Amino acid sequence: MKVTLSALDTCESSFTPLVVLELAQDVKEETKEWLKNRIISKKEDGGAQLLFRPLLNKYEKETLENQNLYLVGASKITLLLGAEAMGLVKECNDNTMRAFTYGTRYNFKDFDDDNDDFLTMAECQFIIKHELENLRARDEKMIPGYPQAKLYPGKSLLRRLLTSGIVIQVFPLHDNEALKKLEDTWYTRFTLKYQPIDHIRGYFGETIALYFGFLEYFTVALIPMAVIGLPYYLFVWEDYDKYVIFASFNLIWSTVILEVWKRGCANMTYRWGTLVMKRQFEEPRPGFHGVLGTNPVTGRKEPLYPSYKRQLRIYLVSLPFVCLCLYFSLYVMMIYFDMEAWALSLHENSGSEWTSVLLYVPSIIYAIVIEIMNRLYRYAAEFLTSWENHRLESAYQNHLILKVLVFNFLNCFASLFYIAFVLRDMKLLRQSLATLLITSQILNQIMESLLPYWLQRKHHVQVKRKVQALKADIDATLYEQVVLEKEMGTYLGTFDDYLELFLQFGYVSLFSCVYPLAAAFAVLNNFTEVNSDALKMCRVLKRPFSEPSANIGVWQLAFETMSVISVVTNCALIGMSPQVNALFPESKLDLVLIVVAVEHALLALKFILAFAIPDKPRHIQMKLARLEFESLEALKQQVQANEVQCPGIFKIMKKHRQEEKKNKQVII
């Protein structure tokens, strides 16, 4: 018998708050009452059947500010049935991974009626978010109290409330006790050890755990490059013959680490259950708008927007704007080279010590300008991508990533390509690469973690003083926590974190034969990056909602593309070296042909390695195949059971299929 929430009592006078919902200060009382009723109502009545209460009671509201903060939680049965509805995958007692069902709950490892840790807190908060987003309009034509906020059947109420400005934000609360334990094993003690990735996943979810797992893996993978590059930098700086060996190792290294990462990622995500988790049908993103119509797939009412209009916006507005930004980036680059020429001439004329220091100033200024331009362009790219009106969040993210990657690649690396292949000044290339890499790493550490942490600490002190001054009899700890967290910055996802690693990978791999010390600087940066990013997640920004992920997505393709470009770049640099040119004094055409042949051979080797290393380990492949076989067998048994229960219907369907087959044969 299928268990439903309507058959169970989920009313609790007090509960553990998991999610905070903040309303605008001027929201009408009838709107609050309507929203409350929809959240706590039973599923069969169109509600979410969650637990809901204001942060402050009536007396406290008269004393304190922030009256429109509400706490949301859920009973254990609600969370378990929500896990079943979302298809969360858990480990069974026989060590297999299966989609959780409430009816077979005792077959799953660590499940017990008295065990509240079967679902991680991140999963519980994700379930609550899913239930809130699935609150849909039924017969309402508008949000009560707001005639301009129109509704139609099937519309997500939470998304409409957010776009109307009635709901300011929805965010998950930190668990201070669990957070303290995580911090103690993660970053508070500066020791060389592996991160507690499984604990990070339990607290923040799979997407963030995968990022930190990739950061750790990438840092460890850089160590051989740093160890080998250091003696090259110290002893054979101008010996390009030996750099051929180093560059070849770099190219094989970049391929192997990306393929091995896929295998490690598959191991992790299978253990977490997301590798075998079925994809949910993707709903329209909150910012999507259009003429109200019926979705032919779901049959629900939702906005419809012609794809040709979106394509016109992309090709007639977005593309020219991106090209204009790329041109501006190249113009700024030429100004940088004018500054370099001025600093060099000044040094040659005077030859003093301060002018030798001045030689690095143009590169430092240019590195700062690059960071500023990257951030300004990011805002413009977000605005344009939102204006293009993509229906799905995945489409929005893919177009945004493409825009940002193209600009960042040109903005960060165009000057290096110009120095390498136009000016052919290897000394200036080494200097510029070192300055850009080190300056960008320092700026990122300051802007992403240190400055926000300082501002957050300052705000924390103000909130603490305010709470200590209160004489009202309230839960000061919870009140302080909610007020503090609601003012924290919002974590915008792993986009910027992966982008930083992507650019770092470019600095290390593109010009490895010219500056082998880049890997060593990257390793040093990443050791601090792990701790600063952990600090940012735990103490600077709001806790993000968990998002199930099976891999790092489009970033895997981005890193693989960068490794292919690095093959071409390094082969060209080695071919331009004086030692290699001396081997072909008569014919440069032979040199070009040999360089192209070597480049093609290395690319072929890369693709052979990528093909030879399976993306998933053998034991994972076998387990996935076994699950697929069992699913097909279960489906076959279900069909046979239905045939026994309703033989007449299946006879009619079988006869209809036979008639269709005969008709097709007649037509042929």
Side-chain angles (χ1 to χ4, degrees):
M1 177 182 173
K2 185 175 176 65
V3 180
T4 59
L5 276 171
S6 57
L8 301 161
D9 181 17
T10 59
C11 296
E12 297 182 15
S13 57
S14 62
F15 59 88
T16 301
L18 296 172
V19 174
V20 175
L21 190 147
E22 182 183 7
L23 303 181
Q25 289 296 323
D26 57 349
V27 173
K28 298 176 182 177
E29 287 300 322
E30 61 176 310
T31 309
K32 295 180 186 178
E33 193 62 28
W34 167 78
L35 179 59
K36 173 188 172 183
N37 289 333
R38 289 303 302 269
I39 290 176
I40 65 175
S41 295
K42 293 181 178 180
K43 290 267 190 172
E44 60 187 17
D45 298 328
Q49 205 153 345
L50 298 173
L51 305 173
F52 183 84
R53 68 177 174 88
L55 173 63
L56 306 174
N57 61 36
K58 186 176 180 181
Y59 168 72
E60 292 163 358
K61 286 182 180 181
E62 296 173 356
T63 311
L64 303 173
E65 298 177 358
N66 303 305
Q67 301 178 11
N68 286 341
L69 290 167
Y70 295 84
L71 306 176
V72 185
S75 63
K76 185 175 180 179
I77 184 68
T78 304
L79 294 171
L80 292 175
L81 291 174
E84 178 181 351
M86 293 174 57
L88 291 186
V89 176
K90 289 289 184 178
E91 186 177 5
C92 294
N93 292 324
D94 60 358
N95 297 323
T96 60
M97 304 298 295
R98 300 179 190 277
F100 175 79
T101 58
Y102 186 80
T104 60
R105 59 193 181 278
Y106 294 108
N107 294 338
F108 289 86
K109 188 174 287 187
D110 298 328
F111 181 86
D112 188 271
D113 289 329
D114 298 325
N115 180 18
D116 294 329
D117 298 328
F118 177 71
L119 295 174
T120 67
M121 191 175 183
E123 289 172 335
C124 294
Q125 291 170 331
F126 180 58
I127 292 168
I128 290 178
K129 178 194 175 193
H130 180 264
E131 295 294 344
L132 289 174
E133 288 181 340
N134 274 348
L135 273 176
R136 299 190 178 277
R138 305 185 84 184
D139 53 358
E140 304 101 328
K141 302 297 182 184
M142 63 177 187
I143 295 176
Y146 295 87
Q148 74 279 7
K150 303 296 183 184
L151 294 173
Y152 48 84
K155 173 68 177 177
S156 171
L157 295 181
L158 181 62
R159 297 185 180 201
R160 190 72 182 95
L161 290 164
L162 285 167
T163 55
S164 301
I166 298 170
V167 172
I168 302 299
Q169 60 179 334
V170 181
F171 62 92
L173 270 177
H174 275 294
D175 180 342
N176 288 329
E177 184 178 344
L179 182 62
K180 186 69 171 64
K181 290 180 181 178
L182 177 62
E183 288 177 316
D184 288 341
T185 59
W186 192 3
Y187 72 92
T188 53
R189 298 169 187 170
F190 291 93
T191 56
L192 295 177
K193 60 181 180 180
Y194 288 109
Q195 298 176 91
I197 300 296
D198 286 335
H199 293 154
I200 297 170
R201 175 254 172 180
Y203 193 84
F204 288 109
E206 291 79 15
T207 299
I208 291 172
L210 277 177
Y211 162 69
F212 280 101
F214 182 73
L215 173 59
E216 177 180 272
Y217 171 82
F218 182 56
T219 304
V220 173
L222 280 169
I223 293 175
M225 287 291 295
V227 171
I228 296 173
L230 191 60
Y232 270 90
Y233 177 82
L234 295 176
F235 303 116
V236 289
W237 184 248
E238 298 297 338
D239 193 341
Y240 281 88
D241 298 333
K242 293 185 174 63
Y243 280 154
V244 174
I245 302 173
F246 181 73
S248 301
F249 172 78
N250 184 346
L251 302 177
I252 297 171
W253 166 85
S254 64
T255 303
V256 170
I257 66 164
L258 294 175
E259 293 302 316
V260 173
W261 161 253
K262 284 196 241 181
R263 293 170 62 85
C265 181
N267 266 320
M268 281 193 298
T269 52
Y270 179 82
R271 187 172 70 248
W272 298 339
T274 52
L275 187 64
V276 296
M277 189 175 175
K278 292 181 180 178
R279 249 182 91 216
Q280 297 283 325
F281 183 80
E282 201 169 353
E283 296 288 341
R285 49 188 297 272
F288 177 67
H289 58 85
V291 179
L292 185 63
T294 304
N295 186 312
V297 177
T298 63
R300 294 176 182 162
K301 294 283 186 181
E302 68 174 49
L304 301 178
Y305 189 77
S307 60
Y308 77 89
K309 289 186 177 180
R310 185 179 302 112
Q311 298 302 320
L312 287 175
R313 290 186 174 192
I314 291 173
Y315 290 110
L316 297 183
V317 179
S318 296
L319 183 59
F321 177 80
V322 172
C323 292
L324 181 64
C325 291
L326 295 178
Y327 172 80
F328 180 73
S329 174
L330 294 175
Y331 181 77
V332 172
M333 181 190 75
M334 298 312 296
I335 296 175
Y336 155 66
F337 286 121
D338 290 340
M339 293 172 60
E340 282 284 0
W342 170 79
L344 184 60
S345 64
L346 190 66
H347 176 66
E348 289 176 347
N349 292 332
S350 66
S352 61
E353 290 186 4
W354 76 270
T355 56
S356 63
V357 175
L358 190 64
L359 290 174
Y360 291 91
V361 172
S363 296
I364 295 173
I365 294 174
Y366 184 52
I368 296 172
V369 170
I370 283 176
E371 291 298 318
I372 294 172
M373 289 171 61
N374 284 344
R375 293 179 185 277
L376 291 177
Y377 176 81
R378 171 70 185 274
Y379 294 126
E382 287 178 347
F383 173 80
L384 273 180
T385 311
S386 180
W387 178 74
E388 289 166 6
N389 199 27
H390 297 279
R391 178 180 176 273
L392 302 178
E393 183 65 26
S394 58
Y396 170 85
Q397 288 295 334
N398 288 339
H399 281 79
L400 177 62
I401 288 173
L402 180 61
K403 288 186 184 72
V404 174
L405 280 186
V406 169
F407 180 81
N408 277 256
F409 182 85
L410 186 78
N411 199 31
C412 294
F413 300 119
S415 62
L416 301 178
F417 279 100
Y418 186 83
I419 295 170
F421 300 113
V422 178
L423 300 181
R424 299 192 178 189
D425 187 341
M426 295 301 115
K427 184 178 179 181
L428 179 59
L429 179 60
R430 288 192 290 270
Q431 174 189 312
S432 298
L433 177 58
T435 307
L436 289 175
L437 176 62
I438 297 170
T439 306
S440 65
Q441 289 177 346
I442 293 173
L443 288 175
N444 282 326
Q445 294 283 1
I446 294 172
M447 296 302 297
E448 287 185 8
S449 299
L450 298 180
L451 181 61
Y453 179 70
W454 178 76
L455 294 173
Q456 184 59 33
R457 292 285 296 177
K458 190 175 180 182
H459 175 69
H460 194 174
V461 171
Q462 294 174 352
V463 171
K464 212 169 185 67
R465 286 175 183 168
K466 185 176 180 181
V467 171
Q468 289 173 350
L470 296 173
K471 296 182 180 179
D473 184 18
I474 66 168
D475 185 353
T477 304
L478 179 60
Y479 176 79
E480 178 185 344
Q481 180 186 354
V482 173
V483 172
L484 178 65
E485 289 185 24
K486 90 179 188 70
E487 297 297 336
M488 287 180 172
T490 302
Y491 182 64
L492 300 176
T494 54
F495 183 97
D496 289 326
D497 298 315
Y498 279 120
L499 179 62
E500 185 179 346
L501 289 180
F502 172 78
L503 296 176
Q504 185 186 89
F505 183 66
Y507 284 124
V508 171
S509 61
L510 287 177
F511 304 98
S512 60
C513 63
V514 174
Y515 191 64
L517 205 59
F521 283 117
V523 169
L524 292 175
N525 173 78
N526 288 358
F527 276 128
T528 59
E529 183 79 15
V530 168
N531 292 288
S532 62
D533 281 353
L535 174 68
K536 176 178 69 177
M537 295 301 306
C538 294
R539 294 296 173 185
V540 177
L541 301 176
K542 288 189 190 77
R543 183 180 187 175
F545 279 106
S546 166
E547 288 293 340
S549 296
N551 48 56
I552 62 174
V554 71
W555 291 104
Q556 181 78 36
L557 178 61
F559 278 87
E560 289 172 355
T561 304
M562 181 69 84
S563 70
V564 171
I565 297 173
S566 70
V567 173
V568 181
T569 304
N570 283 280
C571 287
L573 285 172
I574 292 171
M576 289 167 49
S577 67
Q579 289 87 343
V580 175
N581 273 265
L583 299 175
F584 301 90
E586 301 296 331
S587 175
K588 297 300 179 186
L589 179 60
D590 292 343
L591 173 60
V592 172
L593 291 175
I594 289 177
V595 169
V596 171
V598 171
E599 174 253 330
H600 278 61
L602 288 172
L603 284 176
L605 178 61
K606 281 178 65 69
F607 291 125
I608 290 170
L609 284 172
F611 178 78
I613 302 174
D615 292 350
K616 299 180 182 70
R618 179 67 177 169
H619 70 280
I620 298 293
Q621 294 179 21
M622 296 298 294
K623 289 177 180 178
L624 293 176
R626 180 68 183 173
L627 283 175
E628 185 177 0
F629 170 76
E630 290 177 355
S631 298
L632 291 173
E633 287 296 307
L635 181 61
K636 189 187 297 183
Q637 292 175 7
Q638 182 66 37
V639 171
Q640 291 172 351
N642 291 337
E643 285 182 353
V644 172
Q645 293 176 0
C646 309
I649 295 175
F650 279 87
K651 283 181 180 178
I652 295 171
M653 292 174 64
K654 187 175 181 181
K655 185 178 179 181
H656 181 66
R657 285 197 297 267
Q658 289 174 348
E659 289 177 355
E660 282 186 341
K661 190 175 182 181
K662 287 179 181 178
N663 291 335
K664 287 180 180 178
Q665 291 174 348
V666 170
I667 292 171
I668 293 170

